[in-house]
Structures are given as C-alpha cells and as structure tokens.
Amino acid sequence: MSARPVIVTDIARADPGVINALAAHGVATVHEAMGRTGLVGPGIRPIQDAARVAGSAVTVSSAPGDNLMIHAAIEQCRAGDLLVVTTTSPSTDGAFGDLFATALKARGVRGLITTTGVRDIADLRAMGFPVWSNGVHAQGTVKATPGSVNVPVVVAGAVVNPGDVVIADDDGVVVVPRAEAETALAAADARVAKEDADRDAYGSGREVSLDRKGLRPLLAELGVTYMTQEEYHRGGR
C-alpha cells in the first residue's frame, strides 16, 4: 500500500470474455487448475446461496469502523467489476448496506468481497446483489479517516491487486492475477474436460477412482493391505 492515502483512477482490467469464462468454471475448479493458489480464507463467506460471479477487483483499504473510502471507491467502479474492501486492522462493523449496493448495482458492479461486516442482509438478498463478508453486524461506521482505493490489499491471506480477477461462489473466493487470467482459463478448461471424462466413467460404473487415478499401487507402496473380515478379526492387523 502507498505510504499516503491515494485513489488510483486508471487500473488495467482483464479481458471480459476471459473473466466470464472463469466465472462459469467456479472457485474450486479455478483454484485447483492454478495449482491450488489464490484461495481466500474460509472466514469470508457468502450471505446468499447459489450466486457465482467474477469481476475485476476495485480494491479499498479503509480504517476499521470507517466506510469513507467505500464512498470514494464507487466512483472508480465500472460494469463488470467486483468491489474488494479491507481494513487496516480487523473490523466486523457493518460498513456496507443496501444504499451502497444500490449505487454499485446501477454501475454494473457484480458484487462485494469484504473483510468487514455487512448489514441490510434481507435487502441485499432481495436486490440480488451478492456479497461475501466476514460476518453480519448491524454496528454502524463513521466517515472520518483517509484510506486508499486501487492499491494492493490482503483478503484473508490472499493478495489482491487492483484489476485482478476475483471469482466468488458458494465455495468461497479465489483470486487470479490479471496477467495470469488467460493461462488460468486454459488450465481450468483442461481440468473441466478431464473431470467430465471422470464423471462419465464413474457414472457408468466402468471404473472406480482408485484405478482411474492410478492410486492402487500407491496404497501398496504405503503398506495398505486387503483382508477379509474374518482375517481381520483373527488378528490380521
């Protein structure tokens, strides 16, 4: 983060088609395809069910208990973005509610990822504005402390740079560095094709995963043995 408060106005964003294709794959697939990287910690959870979105990150670094910089960030958001809000020390105050969501939705923003709390949950769900947050808390905030917009931030252990692709669904949140978005999509496409073939094999009953994934020799290498129940009860352990 910059040593002084700053609002960066001209961030680069990934190709919209790549972003939408990553959204279709979802968090778990993209995370695995990237070598199990980029995953946000499990404390950031959805307030709704069955939402799946991806967008370019517009990042906010705020003081705890203060939502001034969210007001400033709205102006920097474009259609297809996701707002990503953090605080400089832990805070679960309800820094975001339905008025912010109304303004963001009008600008085509696809959702919010925040390490803070949120409130007006029933309204947010009714609006269809998806949120992943650190919790639900009605505690209000002030507008008094400078912060920054579109600087690198950390969300539950994951670094988010402005313009990175952020994907969020029922499984959580994953971050794809903007420069790696196309590579991540190609890897995710390949993983989906492989899983489709696995699903067909398992669904037809032709194979079990031990054989399809070549795991049976590994069991033997690790000393795992097969025996009948009678052998087991006779002390075959």
Side-chain angles (χ1 to χ4, degrees):
M1 179 177 169
S2 172
R4 62 180 180 177
V6 62
I7 297 173
V8 180
T9 61
D10 59 344
I11 66 170
R13 293 166 168 86
D15 178 82
V18 172
I19 294 172
N20 292 337
L22 286 168
H25 285 318
V27 169
T29 294
V30 173
H31 166 61
E32 293 282 358
M34 291 197 302
R36 299 181 182 175
T37 61
L39 197 61
V40 169
I44 307 301
R45 300 300 306 154
I47 67 163
Q48 66 286 310
D49 293 326
R52 175 176 287 178
V53 298
S56 296
V58 170
T59 63
V60 179
S61 176
S62 293
D66 192 311
N67 69 3
L68 174 63
M69 299 314 295
I70 299 179
H71 287 273
I74 290 172
E75 186 179 32
Q76 305 306 318
C77 291
R78 300 179 186 174
D81 287 344
L82 276 176
L83 187 62
V84 179
V85 177
T86 64
T87 53
T88 53
S89 60
S91 175
T92 58
D93 294 344
F96 187 96
D98 70 303
L99 291 179
F100 275 146
T102 299
L104 290 171
K105 192 170 184 179
R107 300 180 78 87
V109 174
R110 294 176 172 177
L112 170 75
I113 314 297
T114 180
T115 64
T116 72
V118 294
R119 60 186 188 178
D120 304 328
I121 301 304
D123 295 322
L124 294 174
R125 290 172 179 160
M127 292 170 62
F129 187 83
V131 171
W132 287 257
S133 75
N134 188 33
V136 175
H137 197 185
Q139 175 65 50
T141 57
V142 300
K143 301 165 184 61
T145 314
S148 292
V149 176
N150 282 331
V151 298
V153 297
V154 178
V155 180
V159 176
V160 184
N161 288 287
D164 283 350
V165 181
V166 178
I167 306 154
D169 60 22
D170 286 349
D171 290 335
V173 181
V174 69
V175 182
V176 179
R178 180 178 62 84
E180 300 174 18
E182 292 186 6
T183 301
L185 177 58
D189 286 343
R191 183 175 180 85
V192 167
K194 179 181 180 301
E195 288 185 344
D196 284 345
D198 288 343
R199 191 172 294 107
D200 178 67
Y202 302 153
S204 68
R206 293 194 309 270
E207 292 181 89
V208 295
S209 57
L210 275 178
D211 294 319
R212 187 166 181 84
K213 295 183 179 295
L215 297 174
R216 202 176 295 279
L218 177 60
L219 289 178
E221 289 174 17
L222 294 173
V224 180
T225 60
Y226 287 82
M227 64 180 64
T228 66
Q229 188 175 42
E230 181 181 351
E231 290 170 334
Y232 180 82
H233 286 303
R234 285 205 311 258
R237 284 173 286 182

